[in-house]
Amino acid sequence: MPEIVKGAELPELRVGVTRSVVVRYSGASTDFNEIHFSDRHAHAIGLPGVLAHGMWTMGTGLATVTDWLGDPARVVSYFVRFTRPVVVPDTDEGVEVVYTATVTAVADGVATLSLTATCGEDAVLGAAKVEVR
């Protein structure tokens, strides 16, 4: 178990997302909105292309913390704001989302972590906060 102290930086997590990942998540989540698999539908409503699900981006980011802790049951709360979508190109490589986290406070047995997620130069999650025991 890692020592949880204010200022501790968690290991960076880099996650690739391809159209295949997005389609499989659509099935798992039963969210079949066409913007998650069709450029034509995404462009028709003014989007730049197919988007990864926000909940995929959020859930994958939490792995930064749970991998570090080794026990997902220690997560007390998790909050994010979606600031930019993750646009997934129709290529074999897809796109990469990079997650980092830092312990910002420790009090009464609960640590608060600030989580960041970027795709290229864009922050895709804002105000992301995780509380753990």
Side-chain angles (χ1 to χ4, degrees):
M1 176 171 18
E3 182 180 3
I4 302 177
V5 296
K6 184 177 178 179
E9 294 182 2
L10 282 61
E12 178 181 86
L13 177 64
R14 293 177 168 268
V15 180
V17 58
T18 62
R19 294 277 177 99
S20 178
V21 168
V22 175
V23 168
R24 287 192 312 261
Y25 187 85
S26 291
S29 67
T30 67
D31 178 351
F32 298 108
N33 186 319
E34 289 89 350
I35 66 170
H36 299 301
F37 58 83
S38 168
D39 282 313
R40 182 172 55 86
H41 284 92
H43 292 148
I45 61 169
L47 296 171
V50 166
L51 305 182
H53 298 73
M55 295 304 288
W56 176 90
T57 306
M58 181 181 178
T60 301
L62 190 57
T64 306
V65 176
T66 59
D67 288 355
W68 178 69
L69 285 173
D71 181 4
R74 294 179 59 195
V75 174
V76 175
S77 69
Y78 183 31
F79 172 85
V80 306
R81 287 200 173 124
F82 300 108
T83 56
R84 294 254 193 276
V86 174
V87 180
V88 182
D90 190 10
T91 63
D92 290 339
E93 299 79 25
V95 69
E96 184 176 62
V97 181
V98 179
Y99 299 93
T100 60
T102 304
V103 178
T104 57
V106 179
D108 300 323
V110 175
T112 303
L113 295 93
S114 172
L115 179 73
T116 64
T118 56
C119 185
E121 298 298 315
D122 293 328
V124 295
L125 296 179
K129 182 175 85 168
V130 184
E131 292 181 325
V132 300
R133 290 199 192 287

